[in-house]
Amino acid sequence: MSERVERVDEQDRELGVVDRDEAIRNRWLHRVATVVCRDATGRILVHRRPGSAARFPGQYNWLLGGAVEAGESYADAAGRELAEEAGIRAAQVRFVLKFLCHGTISPYWLGLHEAVIEGDLTPDPREIAWHAWLPEPALREALDQWPFVPDCREAYARYVALPGGHRSSELATDP
């Protein structure tokens, strides 16, 4: 059995708890939390998924993340995924935006967060085969040239289109 997630509606209201694989198979809306990791200079963490990954093997991503488990907030899930995938804990995971993503394999609500990372990563090799810190211009170039996970492209477009910039110092509350 996979993770237990909350099945939600088009307004992100809970309908019940289901198995994540069942939600994906039936294309039911559920929640996913992601994190944009930046270093102290503003560079963004980019990683490649292992070739053996069940979903999007060998593809690149600029987000870390995964399913929001039943009873968990977007921010809590983002922090948990950061620890599980990269082996790090951020002092603060800041909410940036949420949108209904139609998704390549299933639709879901995507909660996007930011965290400034200090210190070394200890990536889980089942999740991350390679990683590097890229300045935003290099990330934009990579998005045009490398095979990225399709859903992260829409997230990037929304992220960089935010009015007033996407790196405000104010903490937003989790929806």
Side-chain angles (χ1 to χ4, degrees):
M1 182 183 296
S2 71
E3 301 153 290
R4 302 293 288 169
V5 298
E6 293 169 354
R7 180 180 175 190
V8 295
D9 66 12
E10 291 78 13
Q11 285 74 46
D12 197 17
R13 295 179 300 219
E14 183 183 347
L15 300 173
V17 176
V18 298
D19 182 85
R20 182 180 187 205
D21 287 342
E22 181 182 16
I24 291 170
R25 189 173 44 256
N26 291 306
R27 299 192 56 81
W28 293 335
L29 292 175
H30 56 288
R31 297 174 177 139
V32 170
T34 61
V35 183
V36 177
C37 297
R38 291 183 172 275
D39 67 8
T41 67
R43 295 179 304 171
I44 296 175
L45 178 68
V46 175
H47 69 280
R48 187 180 71 241
R49 297 180 52 75
S52 59
R55 296 185 180 111
F56 310 111
Q59 293 187 8
Y60 293 85
N61 205 332
W62 67 287
L63 300 168
L64 295 175
V68 176
E69 295 177 356
E72 194 173 37
S73 72
Y74 281 99
D76 288 344
R80 175 181 50 77
E81 291 287 345
L82 184 59
E84 289 174 2
E85 294 184 12
I88 50 178
R89 299 203 186 282
Q92 205 170 49
V93 175
R94 185 181 67 81
F95 174 76
V96 176
L97 66 94
K98 179 177 79 166
F99 68 95
L100 182 57
C101 181
H102 296 306
T104 302
I105 60 173
S106 176
Y108 55 91
W109 279 97
L110 186 142
L112 191 146
H113 301 75
E114 283 182 321
V116 175
I117 306 303
E118 297 175 5
D120 295 330
L121 277 64
T122 310
D124 180 341
R126 295 169 299 181
E127 300 284 346
I128 298 174
W130 168 91
H131 70 278
W133 295 96
L134 298 181
E136 285 191 59
L139 173 57
R140 283 192 301 275
E141 188 174 306
L143 280 161
D144 289 336
Q145 297 176 3
W146 301 354
F148 272 79
V149 172
D151 298 357
C152 79
R153 292 177 185 277
E154 180 182 2
Y156 184 78
R158 290 175 180 263
Y159 180 70
V160 298
L162 289 172
H166 46 79
R167 287 176 287 197
S168 80
S169 60
E170 297 176 19
L171 274 180
T173 56
D174 198 3

